[in-house]
Amino acid sequence: MISIKVILIGDSGVGKTCLIQQYTSKEFTEEHITTIAAGDKSFKEVKVGEKTLKLEIWDTVGQEKFKSVNKIYMNQAKIALIVYDMTEQNSFNNLPNWYKELKDKNDSVEIIGVIANKSDLYEDKVIDKEEGENYAKSIKAIFYETSALDYDSVAAAFEGLTKNYVNKKDEEERKKTEEERKKKEEEDRKREEEEKKKLKLEASKHNEDKEKKKDKKKNDGRRWCFIF
Ligand SMILES: Nc1nc2c(ncn2[C@@H]2O[C@H](COP(=O)(O)OP(=O)(O)O)[C@@H](O)[C@H]2O)c(=O)[nH]1
Ligand SMILES: [Mg+2]
């Protein structure tokens, strides 16, 4: 089974740990649970078409309070969720810093999600959906609105991103196969051309020999005429 590392980044308090808990164990706590999930990895299997993938979801140990996470956390992650709290302007303003952190410390990320969390608190919303969507577009990320209280919204984000990852990989594989096929075709064509050239050369050499033989016969014939 393919195992892929998934990380969540974003300001402290935006709901990263809650999102992971909801997705992996369908639970929600009101507490800010930095210690329970300290550096934990949670696992979840996702089926995409014929494939089953094992998501290895990493949670921070609260180090994001210092606006930074370490390289070990970032490394090798294929999917990254950059989370903000839609009721908290600062968490949205900090998205570019988190994106930069990701780009600086990770060289393997394939799919990025921008997650607008706490959609259940829509009355306190300060960031419009459109703003979030625009930011996501600007970094070629996929936008999702979630509430850590609502399993379906959380699963839609994790699974949507996983699907995109699988599709991207499939497309790359398809392109690679297509390129290899084209390369082989080109090689076959070249070989055929060489073969044709060789045959042509042999044929013209054969004709030349024939002509030479004919000339020789003619000359020999003439010589006999002189003798008679
Ligand atoms: N209403 C609401 N509260 C949330 C949501 N997600 C997280 N919280 C609350 O926000 C606080 C911080 O959540 P936590 O997951 O610890 O944030 P983290 O620091 O990003 O890991 C906690 O009190 C959670 O109960 C959500 O979608 N809706
Ligand atoms: Mg946390």
Side-chain angles (χ1 to χ4, degrees), residues 92-127:
F92 181 73
N93 296 348
N94 276 331
L95 292 182
N97 300 334
W98 286 112
Y99 179 64
K100 191 174 178 303
E101 270 278 300
L102 179 68
K103 285 284 149 181
D104 287 350
K105 292 180 179 167
N106 171 292
D107 54 8
S108 56
V109 74
E110 304 266 4
I111 299 288
I112 302 173
V114 167
I115 314 295
N117 191 36
K118 307 199 185 180
S119 65
D120 55 291
L121 304 177
Y122 54 88
E123 280 173 354
D124 302 323
K125 185 161 92 173
V126 291
I127 319 289

Side-chain angles (χ1 to χ4, degrees), residues 1-6 23 42-57 78-79 110-111 158-170:
M1 197 191 303
I2 313 159
S3 179
I4 49 175
K5 178 175 171 180
V6 180
Y23 185 48
S42 314
F43 299 93
K44 178 113 178 178
E45 284 181 15
V46 181
K47 225 174 161 253
V48 181
E50 301 282 285
K51 293 189 181 99
T52 306
L53 290 95
K54 187 175 180 185
L55 301 186
E56 188 185 289
I57 309 168
K78 301 278 191 266
I79 298 177
E110 304 266 4
I111 299 288
F158 277 103
E159 281 158 25
L161 292 166
T162 308
K163 213 174 265 176
N164 271 279
Y165 173 79
V166 172
N167 289 346
K168 190 179 174 195
K169 287 282 136 192
D170 283 352

